[in-house]
Amino acid sequence: MFRNNYDNDSVTYSPTGRLFQVEYALEAIKQGSAAVGLTSKNHVVLVALKRNAEELGSFQKKLIKIDDHIGIALAGLAPDARVLSNYLRRQAMSSKMIFDKPIQTYKAVLSIADKAQENTQTYGARPYGVGLLIGGYDETGAHLFEFQPSGSVLEYYGAAIGARSQAARTYLERNLDEIRNSESTEALIVHGLNALRDTLSQDIELTNKNTSVSIVGKDQEFVVYDDEDVQQWLDKLDSVSNARNRDDDDDNNNNNNNDEEVKDEEVKEENAETTESAADAPDTTEGDDRMETDE
Amino acid sequence: MQTTVASEYSNEIHSVPIEHRFNPYSDNGGTVLGIAGEDFAVLAGDTRQVEGYSIQSRYEPKIFDVGDNIVMTANGFAADGVALIDKFRQQLKWYKFDNFGGKLEIKSAARYIQHLLYGKRFFPYYVSTLIAGLDEEGKGAVYSYDPVGSYEREQCRAGGAAASLIMPFLDNQVNFKNQFIPGTDGKEKKPLKYLTLEEVIELVRDAFSSATERHIYVGDGLEIKIVTKDGVRTEYYPLKRD
Amino acid sequence: MNHDPFQWGRPSNETYGAYNHQIANAGVPDNTTHASLDAFPKMHTQQPIITGTSVIASKFNNGIIMAADNVGSYGSLLRFSNIERLIKVGSETVVGLSGDVSDMQQIERILDELETSEEVYDNDGGDYLRAANVHEYLSRVMYNRRSKMNPLWNSIIVGGFYRDRTPFLKYVDLVGVTYSSSTIATGFGSHLAIPLLRNLIPEDKDYVKVDEQQITKVVEDSMRVLFYRDARSGDKYSQVIIKLDEEGKVVFEFTKEVKVENQSWRFAKDIRGYGSSQQ
């Protein structure tokens, strides 16, 4: 098997100028389930798909509150996200303590970016294996950032990370104008869930068990909806399953309307019959799907 | 030792240099009072802040809603009071993060504050601390502390500059000390009963207007925070400003 | 004059006995060595050296005003007459300091650093330091230093605006005590200027009834009274007015070398008991 000589630590460049350990960390994000973030003028919505390791187990939390005005969504190694979120919480609190002012979202994000960057330049250190979407509302308005283990931080109107997130990005790109001009927070959340739905593989659908919704913005403290609280938002979707056939997921949506409905039904029936086997399956399908979306 | 007879300077004889230490404390006056009712609790404090004979501010509130239906005050050295309450608020926030947003019961808050105070046992927060709220059964609760964390739950407690003026009044009016049933020749004590919120507010206002008359560190305004199952609300009454 | 203190009318030996010379020599025993002094606990600044006297400040309907003279005293010696004790921080905040001048300069450096770290580093605009932030920060610094038994020997007033553009005025001192009020003065000002300021603004909320002209007049009067009665004060002072213009934009007016005008020392001749005429 091919052996890479330049990935033993995070501080050594390959001859082509790459840092393999950092790139592997970016891969770890793609192994995680999807998280989607999107902004209107005054609000940020973060939604995420939760996974449970086994049928009897709980779902991994994907949305974490940092302060009344900031929250994050994660994809990748959840324990690493805990470390980063605790760090962010401390930063937020010291801003309150020292300046009597909520921390600016941008500054909060840069504080973890600096931490992450340090790991790419420290011998013996491991880059964080998690990507974050940070949503915040401060005196400079509503902001959404994506954080990567490389230490890079970029601001977005809409962003998606995690498995099959390309599908969500496609949705966000196609509906950008509508999303940006959303008057109601409800519309924004529905767009978020639509985008998230597009990341689903055929055998699962959005349920109040596997979906998390959060919102923050003007006159709106960061709040997370989980479990039964999330049902109100799912009820607003035309469908909770991703019925699109990704091969012809193009501009001919209208033509497919009938097909989609039929497919919806099929999928639901299938799920009803094979819930258990579907739950066992995702690991393998996840891997395959990833190859597809990441191409 | 040879000394000057009857000299007022005698005590200046030292074998070591005279230490002129910085005094890290000051007394900012003010007085506070907490009373628990059957299904409510109040914390009241005047709004004057002083330094020596100067009134620094006529409105510097010192009763705070710290969240989870708990109100808190730390009266004495104002800087320590603010520091203690800030610290408690911050810890409460961590408690929320760690407990999925669960409510901190007042008895847990009370125990935690003991640790905050005792943690500075050898450089104490120079304050009398009071918290008020509702217990797990919905009954009014007041907890009071000494500066190093000794605490107990009580029906009522006064703290700060005029504590010694108000406390005996409270003993008599809240716990009916030295009150007897008429006609029993001082043999039968007046039985205890819960006061209504209206009665308590009246008591608090009387306590503070009297303390204002007799204590120079008390006055300007009275702020009362009232805790019920519906939350915390604030009332304000002016006091004499002289 | 005989400069020997022992000749300054000490009670007679016949009545009180001879003076105990241990008193005059107290503190440093003959056998003191450097080593024995080193055994003493480490000591921090325990008294101010060069000092600035009062700072006075007030809100008015459209902003805040602050004044402090330019004297730096060394005990009773007028050591410096060009000390600037009002510092502009950020774009709309002023910090006035009284007390030790070297500690004040330390605070100036701290505030300079704060301005760099908060307004330049990692800041992509839209967010800047306001008076409330500067005050909260300073009160942390002051309280932390007092808790280390190593205080910055100052009383400080911070003035500016809240986020909603209402005037902000708050105090913090060497032990970390803070308070806000519509009229604030440090040092002698709290005795001499506060009564004049509170005469114009009796209750905290009354500042909205007072305009810039009225408050400037009272501040001028206060500085004059302070010059009359505070022996550590000077007749030259700096004044800062921070206000909002018609469009709601912040105007920062820093006036230096204001003179105490219209002095009248006629009252001095009526003073009895000390001064030149002993009656």
Side-chain angles (χ1 to χ4, degrees):
Chain A
M1 191 187 148
F2 170 71
R3 180 155 156 70
N4 191 338
N5 290 313
Y6 296 98
D7 65 355
N8 286 316
D9 57 64
S10 63
V11 303
T12 309
Y13 283 106
S14 81
T16 50
R18 296 163 63 179
L19 289 171
F20 282 108
Q21 281 296 330
V22 175
E23 291 184 22
Y24 299 162
L26 298 176
E27 286 303 312
I29 301 170
K30 295 176 186 162
Q31 308 278 351
S33 62
V36 176
L38 59 166
T39 62
S40 64
K41 292 284 172 311
N42 285 317
H43 291 86
V44 189
V45 162
L46 298 173
V47 295
L49 189 64
K50 292 183 284 189
R51 280 206 290 238
N52 54 347
E54 48 183 302
E55 196 60 17
L56 297 175
S58 64
F59 286 80
Q60 174 59 47
K61 269 185 72 173
K62 297 280 284 179
L63 302 176
I64 302 172
K65 177 173 169 164
I66 299 302
D67 202 343
D68 290 342
H69 69 299
I70 297 182
I72 63 170
L74 63 104
L77 301 182
D80 285 14
R82 247 177 75 80
V83 171
L84 289 169
S85 63
N86 275 326
Y87 186 77
L88 281 170
R89 285 169 171 181
R90 281 203 298 278
Q91 296 294 311
M93 274 192 199
S94 43
S95 176
K96 277 255 178 66
M97 204 68 168
I98 298 172
F99 296 115
D100 190 20
K101 158 174 119 169
I103 193 168
Q104 204 189 332
T105 318
Y106 182 60
K107 285 192 179 178
V109 178
L110 286 187
S111 75
I112 51 167
D114 290 350
K115 255 173 95 70
Q117 195 280 338
E118 211 168 291
N119 287 341
T120 69
Q121 246 183 338
T122 309
Y123 187 81
R126 164 175 75 77
Y128 291 103
V130 70
L132 305 177
L133 295 177
I134 298 97
Y137 183 81
D138 54 42
E139 54 186 39
T140 66
H143 296 282
L144 170 68
F145 295 94
E146 182 189 339
F147 159 88
Q148 294 194 327
S150 56
S152 103
V153 158
L154 287 170
E155 181 161 10
Y156 288 90
Y157 287 150
I161 55 175
R164 300 154 59 83
S165 56
Q166 182 55 48
R169 270 194 293 279
T170 305
Y171 177 91
L172 295 175
E173 282 165 17
R174 287 185 182 165
N175 296 282
L176 182 67
D177 286 341
E178 219 179 295
I179 289 169
R180 286 297 293 162
N181 295 316
S182 293
E183 288 298 327
S184 72
T185 57
E186 180 190 319
L188 200 60
I189 290 173
V190 169
H191 278 302
L193 289 174
N194 282 341
L196 188 67
R197 188 182 62 183
D198 282 1
T199 72
L200 295 175
S201 50
Q202 294 285 1
D203 51 1
I204 53 170
E205 51 186 39
L206 296 180
T207 67
N208 62 24
K209 286 274 162 275
N210 69 9
T211 310
S212 282
V213 174
S214 73
I215 183 159
V216 65
K218 193 175 187 209
D219 304 319
Q220 169 70 63
E221 280 191 6
F222 181 81
V223 58
V224 179
Y225 300 93
D226 272 316
D227 301 324
E228 49 274 14
D229 295 331
V230 99
Q231 193 58 46
Q232 54 175 318
W233 303 115
L234 293 177
D235 289 344
K236 296 194 164 63
L237 300 184
D238 48 6
S239 162
V240 287
S241 58
N242 180 6
R244 289 163 213 268
N245 183 338
R246 279 192 314 286
D247 293 330
D248 55 18
D249 181 23
D250 281 317
D251 291 335
N252 50 357
N253 285 342
N254 292 336
N255 308 341
N256 289 347
N257 262 354
N258 283 334
D259 291 351
E260 272 184 33
E261 271 174 40
V262 175
K263 273 183 195 157
D264 271 356
E265 303 254 336
E266 283 172 3
V267 172
K268 272 177 196 155
E269 275 176 42
E270 202 178 299
N271 281 349
E273 284 167 17
T274 62
T275 332
E276 279 177 327
S277 59
D280 292 336
D283 272 342
T284 49
T285 53
E286 202 71 61
D288 294 346
D289 294 337
R290 189 164 55 77
M291 294 302 286
E292 252 178 79
T293 47
D294 290 341
E295 267 169 15
Chain B
M1 184 193 274
Q2 176 201 5
T3 54
T4 306
V5 178
S7 166
E8 58 183 300
Y9 302 113
S10 310
N11 61 352
E12 288 185 12
I13 304 172
H14 294 284
S15 55
V16 292
I18 299 160
E19 206 181 350
H20 183 78
R21 265 171 74 91
F22 162 64
N23 177 194
Y25 294 111
S26 68
D27 180 0
N28 301 103
T31 207
V32 290
L33 158 60
I35 299 178
E38 184 163 23
D39 56 354
F40 67 89
V42 302
L43 248 193
D46 67 329
T47 62
R48 174 178 289 185
Q49 190 174 109
V50 303
E51 170 92 57
Y53 290 135
S54 297
I55 297 171
Q56 292 185 311
S57 179
R58 295 193 189 278
Y59 185 70
E60 191 63 33
K62 53 177 161 275
I63 315 285
F64 296 97
D65 179 351
V66 291
D68 276 1
N69 230 217
I70 297 169
V71 289
M72 177 173 180
T73 189
N75 185 236
F77 173 40
D80 275 350
V82 168
L84 179 69
I85 290 169
D86 276 358
K87 202 162 182 178
F88 176 73
R89 278 185 161 146
Q90 196 171 36
Q91 288 308 132
L92 180 61
K93 210 159 178 177
W94 280 114
Y95 179 91
K96 291 263 169 209
F97 282 142
D98 295 343
N99 293 278
F100 308 104
K103 184 180 189 296
L104 182 68
E105 290 299 337
I106 194 161
K107 68 166 188 180
S108 312
R111 175 64 61 84
Y112 188 70
I113 289 166
Q114 166 168 70
H115 283 100
L116 288 180
L117 290 167
Y118 195 81
K120 270 170 69 67
R121 170 62 179 81
F122 297 107
F123 187 11
Y125 290 113
Y126 231 70
V127 287
S128 12
T129 310
L130 295 176
I131 60 170
L134 303 177
D135 66 13
E136 284 129 311
E137 288 158 12
K139 292 227 177 341
V142 167
Y143 288 84
S144 67
Y145 300 78
D146 80 349
V148 290
S150 169
Y151 79 108
E152 63 178 320
R153 181 175 171 181
E154 294 178 290
Q155 213 50 43
C156 65
R157 172 62 66 184
S164 57
L165 274 64
I166 295 177
M167 203 58 220
F169 172 68
L170 257 34
D171 287 337
N172 183 249
Q173 293 295 310
V174 178
N175 293 325
F176 300 151
K177 291 286 159 65
N178 299 102
Q179 285 201 267
F180 300 94
I181 294 169
T184 61
D185 197 23
K187 294 245 169 26
E188 249 187 272
K189 286 179 179 162
K190 178 177 171 182
L192 287 173
K193 73 165 184 67
Y194 283 114
L195 301 177
T196 66
L197 179 58
E198 289 68 33
E199 287 169 323
V200 165
I201 299 285
E202 279 310 299
L203 271 185
V204 169
R205 293 188 64 181
D206 285 349
F208 274 87
S209 52
S210 306
T212 302
E213 287 294 332
R214 286 290 186 177
H215 205 119
I216 59 166
Y217 284 169
V218 183
D220 292 329
L222 166 62
E223 199 159 89
I224 311 175
K225 291 221 185 276
I226 302 154
V227 188
T228 65
K229 64 178 184 345
D230 302 319
V232 179
R233 73 169 196 273
T234 308
E235 288 184 11
Y236 175 85
Y237 302 97
L239 290 172
K240 282 169 77 172
R241 291 149 59 85
D242 56 6
Chain C
M1 182 182 170
N2 188 337
H3 288 275
D4 180 359
F6 291 99
Q7 303 305 311
W8 291 354
R10 206 187 155 272
S12 64
N13 285 358
E14 292 77 64
T15 318
Y16 293 103
Y19 177 74
N20 178 356
H21 285 265
Q22 267 189 297
I23 291 173
N25 298 327
V28 191
D30 294 338
N31 58 351
T32 304
T33 61
H34 276 290
S36 70
L37 281 175
D38 285 348
F40 273 72
K42 187 186 162 202
M43 284 189 275
H44 300 293
T45 309
Q46 304 295 11
Q47 55 178 320
I49 309 296
I50 306 279
T51 57
T53 185
S54 330
V55 180
I56 66 173
S58 178
K59 292 182 187 176
F60 61 95
N61 60 5
N62 200 27
I64 67 108
I65 185 170
M66 195 181 287
D69 70 24
N70 301 326
V71 169
S73 306
Y74 179 68
S76 57
L77 174 72
L78 197 164
R79 180 65 182 80
F80 299 104
S81 52
N82 59 348
I83 305 288
E84 182 55 65
R85 298 191 286 126
L86 302 183
I87 313 169
K88 186 183 182 188
V89 182
S91 53
E92 52 167 69
T93 304
V94 65
V95 174
L97 301 106
S98 60
D100 191 274
V101 169
S102 68
D103 285 350
M104 176 187 84
Q105 288 165 346
Q106 169 82 5
I107 291 170
E108 264 186 273
R109 288 189 285 272
I110 290 171
L111 289 172
D112 210 44
E113 222 167 84
L114 172 75
E115 207 172 314
T116 312
S117 64
E118 287 302 303
E119 302 230 308
V120 182
Y121 187 72
D122 280 2
N123 193 330
D124 63 346
D127 175 43
Y128 54 93
L129 278 177
R130 290 192 169 81
N133 311 133
V134 174
H135 178 273
E136 190 72 23
Y137 181 80
L138 272 180
S139 63
R140 296 290 154 203
V141 172
M142 299 302 277
Y143 184 74
N144 287 339
R145 286 290 296 260
R146 89 99 216 187
S147 296
K148 289 182 207 152
M149 292 297 276
N150 184 196
L152 291 164
W153 212 285
N154 303 95
S155 293
I156 306 171
I157 305 175
V158 181
F161 288 102
Y162 284 106
R163 207 146 111 74
D164 67 0
R165 309 274 85 176
T166 52
F168 173 96
L169 202 58
K170 210 164 174 181
Y171 165 100
V172 58
D173 65 17
L174 72 166
V175 288
V177 167
T178 61
Y179 64 89
S180 55
S181 183
S182 285
T183 55
I184 302 181
T186 69
F188 252 84
S190 69
H191 301 108
L192 297 177
I194 282 292
L196 300 177
L197 292 163
R198 284 196 188 153
N199 201 27
L200 186 66
I201 304 174
E203 293 197 42
D204 277 345
K205 59 177 160 45
D206 293 331
Y207 75 90
V208 294
K209 299 179 205 157
V210 175
D211 64 24
E212 185 185 339
Q213 241 185 345
Q214 288 172 288
I215 195 67
T216 312
K217 164 87 173 45
V218 174
V219 165
E220 204 180 301
D221 290 346
S222 300
M223 292 311 279
R224 181 165 42 242
V225 170
L226 280 166
F227 181 57
Y228 286 155
R229 279 299 186 175
D230 176 1
R232 306 283 175 268
S233 68
D235 62 352
K236 197 162 58 84
Y237 63 93
S238 295
Q239 187 179 70
V240 164
I241 293 177
I242 316 175
K243 59 184 174 185
L244 300 171
D245 66 11
E246 294 78 34
E247 289 137 38
K249 285 189 63 173
V250 173
V251 181
F252 196 104
E253 262 176 28
F254 205 137
T255 324
K256 296 188 181 184
E257 312 227 343
V258 189
K259 295 283 287 179
V260 174
E261 305 285 5
N262 304 115
Q263 290 176 38
S264 164
W265 290 87
R266 270 174 304 173
F267 69 89
K269 73 175 181 358
D270 300 322
I271 296 173
R272 291 289 176 271
Y274 57 96
S276 53
S277 61
Q278 301 275 337
Q279 280 181 270

